[in-house]
Every structure is written in C-alpha cells, then in structure tokens.
Amino acid sequence: FVSIRGTLHVKRWIEQLGMLRFAGRYGGRGSAFKAGQQLFKRLPRRWKQAVRGRFWSRRLRRQSMLQDGGELFDWEHTQAFCTTEYGGITVNVRGRQPHGIVAPEGGVEAVRERLEEAARQLLHPDTREPVIEDVLSREDLFTGPQLHRAPDLWLKSRDDACYLALNWMGSWTHGADAVFTAERPPIGGHHPDGIFIAAGARVRRLEQPLQRLKLEQVAPTIAHRFGLLMPEGTDGAPLREIFAGELADAIEDTRPAAAAHPRSEPQEYTPEEAATIEKRLRDLGYL
C-alpha cells in the first residue's frame, strides 16, 4: 500500500470536459444546491457518511454498477462515464451501450484521445506535478472473451498515490467543484509492486532476485509445488526456477482432453440457493 496524497474526482473531471452530464437531482447547480453543498462541507466525517448512505441508496448504487450508470446520467449529453473503481472510463458507444451516442467508427477513438490528452495535463494544485502517470487501454491490460465488458480506458495515478474517486452522487456530497482536491481518505492506495517470499525444503536459494514477478504467477506456482496443473486459459506460468530437483521441470500433462480443457456449463440455482445468495449479497451491502 501507499499513502494517498490527494483525490481525483473522476466523474467531475469528465463533466468539466463537457463529456458527461448528470441527470436530475445529481447534477444541480442552483442556489439550493450550493447552499446544501456548503452545509455538507461543514459536517463531521461520520455525518457525511450517513448523508451519503441515506441519499445514495443501495438500490441506486447497484443499478448504476450493473447497468452502466443507470439513471445517474443524462445519456443524450454523455460521451464517457465511470462506474468502476480504479479509474476505469467507458465510452458511451452507439449500439454497444443502451443509450450510446458516440459513433463506433471514428468517434470512439476521438473520445479516447481527448480523454487521454486531458488526463495527462492534470496537475497537482500544490506541487504542479502530473496527477496521472499513464492512460491505458483495456487491450493493454486484459485479454479473453469478456474483454468487451471492460472499460475502454484506465487512469494510473502518479506513484499510485492518488485516490480515483467515483463520486457516485456527482460533486454534491464532496463539496467541491475542483477536479482534484487535497482530501485524503482514510485508506491506502494499492501499489503494483509487492513482496513474494518462498521457503521450504524444495525451494532453492536464488543467486539473483526474480525479475518482474507478476501476480498471476502466484497461483500456478503454488499448484506446481503440489504437482497440480492449472486449467487451460489460466494467466501466468509457474516459477519453476525457484524449485530444486524434479520440481524445476515442467509437469507432464497426461490428462484426457476433456479434463485438460474443461468447459463450464450454465449453472441453474435452486430457489433456496438463490435466496441464500441474495441474502449474503444484501448483508454485504450490494443489494
């Protein structure tokens, strides 16, 4: 983890670019809105959380996450939006999104290029250093048959030290029109670099440190230690160089074709199972 040094209000930023518009009560700018905003800014943190929980209902939050924004946005005036953590931005493409307005041919690339250019120009108000270190496409990060479900662009903050806030209710409950604020939420930021430790009778001491170990290699390495093979399509290969003896060699795949290439079939839940799952999701606050 890293210490958070500021907050980028992603939806507010896209809104200021003129590429997103909130719908109804989520985008007001009148005198009542401003008075409520000023009052909200003076509330203790605990009260702010209570207000957010009261007005941003679980139903609306779930609808927004599952339906690409739900009723949050004025879709006729929204070219791009964000409904996921960690700075993922989706282009509102005609024919792909339920209320898409951006032309698939030419329009998508133009929106992506404008967002990327604007992101790279964001500066920290105190240090004047860039807030965004990199802008990545979904093709840079993901592969597989569900790639089309991922947001089109992902923002990576400088040193991973910027909180990329969703601002579910626009700027109303964050009390600021600024895109970037010095607000430091009581959380740490995820950092891509971590620590990997392996020890045991069948683990050898390395003469040189491992170079750029990836997270997706951890599970295959553990499976390899116990002589197990990962299903086809698993990202990452085992770190055989950390093992001694026969574990340093690849495991021969002697499985029948059906076992080596398992196919998942749609699973139907019984009413009792569905009720149990729904209760657990509700207890966790997702419903």
Side-chain angles (χ1 to χ4, degrees):
F1 285 89
V2 294
S3 175
I4 297 297
R5 297 195 295 268
T7 300
L8 173 64
H9 304 281
V10 180
K11 284 191 177 72
R12 179 62 175 141
W13 169 63
I14 303 175
E15 182 188 30
Q16 280 197 358
L17 292 176
M19 304 176 75
L20 178 151
R21 183 182 296 181
F22 289 101
R25 61 191 177 117
Y26 303 105
R29 288 293 184 273
S31 57
F33 167 84
K34 293 180 178 178
Q37 189 181 70
Q38 292 300 317
L39 175 61
F40 184 84
K41 289 167 65 175
R42 294 179 171 84
L43 293 177
R45 181 186 297 273
R46 184 175 61 181
W47 290 17
K48 288 181 181 179
Q49 293 174 342
V51 171
R52 288 175 181 141
R54 170 64 178 85
F55 290 98
W56 181 243
S57 68
R58 291 178 177 176
R59 179 194 64 81
L60 192 56
R61 182 170 66 237
R62 177 174 177 269
Q63 181 193 59
S64 178
M65 294 179 69
L66 298 182
Q67 300 179 10
D68 278 349
E71 61 190 55
L72 261 184
F73 307 119
D74 178 351
W75 292 110
E76 293 183 359
H77 300 89
T78 295
Q79 295 176 289
F81 57 96
C82 176
T83 59
T84 183
E85 298 282 4
Y86 310 118
I89 300 173
T90 299
V91 180
N92 191 24
V93 183
R94 185 189 311 141
R96 188 182 72 177
Q97 268 66 45
H99 309 286
I101 64 171
V102 178
E105 299 295 332
V108 175
E109 285 304 313
V111 170
R112 289 170 64 152
E113 289 175 4
R114 184 182 176 195
L115 287 167
E116 179 174 355
E117 181 181 1
R120 295 186 185 280
Q121 294 175 358
L122 284 169
L123 300 178
H124 192 289
D126 298 328
T127 65
R128 307 309 296 170
E129 294 180 340
V131 173
I132 300 300
E133 181 178 280
D134 203 357
V135 182
L136 304 168
S137 70
R138 62 184 181 186
E139 292 80 12
D140 294 329
L141 297 171
F142 308 109
T143 59
Q146 301 302 319
L147 177 64
H148 64 283
R149 295 178 177 270
D152 295 279
L153 292 178
W154 293 82
L155 305 180
K156 183 182 185 304
S157 67
R158 183 184 177 92
D159 298 325
D160 296 278
C162 173
Y163 176 51
L164 304 176
L166 278 174
N167 290 24
W168 287 110
M169 291 177 64
S171 59
W172 198 95
T173 59
H174 291 270
D177 288 332
V179 164
F180 187 87
T181 65
E183 176 184 352
R184 296 189 177 191
I187 59 174
H190 291 280
H191 196 278
D193 295 332
I195 298 173
F196 177 81
I197 299 175
R202 309 181 82 176
V203 175
R204 69 184 184 89
R205 183 183 296 273
L206 300 180
E207 296 180 0
Q208 298 293 332
L210 292 170
Q211 298 297 319
R212 204 59 185 172
L213 168 66
K214 295 183 178 180
L215 185 63
E216 56 263 31
Q217 292 178 272
V218 175
T221 299
I222 296 173
H224 183 83
R225 166 62 182 83
F226 293 99
L228 302 175
L229 289 165
M230 298 292 287
E232 183 188 6
T234 300
D235 292 332
L239 296 164
R240 292 188 284 113
E241 61 267 35
I242 72 172
F243 296 112
E246 68 275 12
L247 283 178
D249 300 325
I251 300 175
E252 183 181 358
D253 191 348
T254 59
R255 296 173 296 180
H261 312 286
R263 300 182 62 181
S264 59
E265 300 294 336
Q267 181 178 3
E268 296 293 336
Y269 295 109
T270 66
E272 294 77 14
E273 291 173 332
T276 299
I277 294 172
E278 183 175 342
K279 180 180 184 302
R280 290 175 179 173
L281 291 173
R282 184 174 291 107
D283 290 342
L284 291 170
Y286 292 112
L287 299 179

